[in-house]
Amino acid sequence: MDYSRALDAALQQLHDEGRYRTFIDIERRKGQFPAAIWRRPDGSEREITVWCGNDYLGMGQHPVVLTAMHEALDATGAGSGGTRNISGTTIYHKRLEAELADLHGKEAALVFSSAYIANDATLSTLPKLFPGLIIYSDALNHASMIEGIKRNGGPKRIFRHNDIAHLRELLQVDDPAAPKLIAFESIYSMDGDFGKIAEICDLAQEFGALTYLDEVHAVGMYGPRGGGVAERDGLTNRIDIFNGTLGKAFGVFGGYIAASAKMVDAVRSYAPGFIFTTSLPPAVAAGAAASIAFLKSPEGQKLRDQQQLNARILKMRLKGLGLPIIDHGTHIVPVHVGDPVHCKMLSDMLLDRYGIYVQPINFPTVPRGTERLRFTPSPVHDAPQLDRLVRAMDDLWSHCALNRAELTG
């Protein structure tokens, strides 16, 4: 086989379809987020505003987080030195897991190197713990959940997105005695819509199923202490296993599950994705714990309130321009474009002409024909930055060669 030619063909296909992904080289500057420096391919630099980051609340540069990380770095050094089982468990990891268990009102939590690994490792391990387990998965679940469910080798059922009637149909035809688990999300990040947590919990109770809720895009953002949508809606005690991330609203790095002490102990003991992975650096664990503790406080609620306000303002102003906003009431602001080439062109022009960085979202992250720009306003985006974004979108959508009709197909 000509391996080089095969690689050329695979990459050319992405270019031909207009969905080849380009990394934008940026340098975040401490204390200046969402401002950053864009390093162009020719070596020149330009100051830009980041509008597509997942550091939803700006905690990645918050003094409370940075101070905790500096103190842990000075006290312990860089890495953890091993897996959690072999010399890689420190007081910082234990503090972090205690904060996470408290956040979700659970007995215990378990930290992984990412939320992707936490989903993959946990969902692929559960059938070992519950032989014959049937997993019911929302059709729009994240790739990490899909991968974990596929790898476990057990039976699975896919229900249409947020379709409670379809989920009921699937549950009804399976053996009532079989162990069951329903896996779903609280916020689906590409459309920004909410999962139907209460209704799914009702079905889980009726059919004797466990509930597995991915709160990756909601932890830190919703609830009086940042525990997510389940906390906001008073449903925490109805969720058996939470999955979350430390790399979005908490602004650091890593992922986790939170559940009963017995469930966490079993996953810890059986999941290869946990057992054989080097643990988080102590400084990262310290920063994450500090961020979680801060966002549980009234000061954290102020950040959530400001972020929600900025999201509402941006949606209102873009809708006022006639742009096709997808609005389900969450903090995520998707603008539907519907074509990968046009989506990339818009993204490039926003960056080149206006210093506004928003990454195009194309297949396979979203279905073909639903390509979009996905804005994530934060509490540290100020009014002048928001004004510049709205003026830029108005200019490009209304007056450029890519007019609205062309952009929306």
Side-chain angles (χ1 to χ4, degrees), residues 81-105:
T83 67
R84 287 292 297 275
N85 300 292
I86 305 174
S87 81
T89 295
T90 70
I91 59 170
Y92 301 99
H93 297 88
K94 301 302 289 184
R95 287 174 185 170
L96 173 56
E97 288 172 343
E99 285 286 359
L100 289 167
D102 174 73
L103 178 70
H104 292 291

Side-chain angles (χ1 to χ4, degrees), residues 111-159:
V111 172
F112 293 76
S113 53
S114 71
Y116 187 108
I117 297 299
N119 269 333
D120 187 357
T122 303
L123 288 168
S124 63
T125 297
L126 289 174
K128 301 174 187 176
L129 307 175
F130 307 108
L133 178 70
I134 304 171
I135 297 183
Y136 303 79
S137 176
D138 188 286
L140 293 189
N141 276 344
H142 189 265
S144 59
M145 301 173 77
I146 295 170
E147 186 64 24
I149 293 167
K150 282 181 178 178
R151 286 202 310 107
N152 70 37
K156 62 181 183 294
R157 314 282 186 257
I158 310 302
F159 61 94

Side-chain angles (χ1 to χ4, degrees), residues 278-301:
T278 299
S279 65
L280 291 184
V284 171
S291 182
I292 295 163
F294 179 85
L295 290 178
K296 290 176 182 176
S297 73
E299 291 302 309
Q301 187 58 45

Side-chain angles (χ1 to χ4, degrees), residues 206-218:
E206 180 180 348
F207 288 93
L210 296 170
T211 50
Y212 185 104
L213 180 62
D214 181 310
E215 290 253 38
V216 159
H217 290 276

Side-chain angles (χ1 to χ4, degrees), residues 187 191-194 222 232 307-308 311-312 315 319 325-334:
I187 293 179
D191 283 349
D193 59 328
F194 289 105
Y222 297 85
R232 183 198 69 179
Q307 193 284 327
Q308 291 286 336
R312 288 196 299 272
K315 289 177 183 179
K319 284 180 183 177
I325 304 297
I326 303 170
D327 185 6
H328 293 285
T330 66
H331 61 284
I332 295 168
V333 186

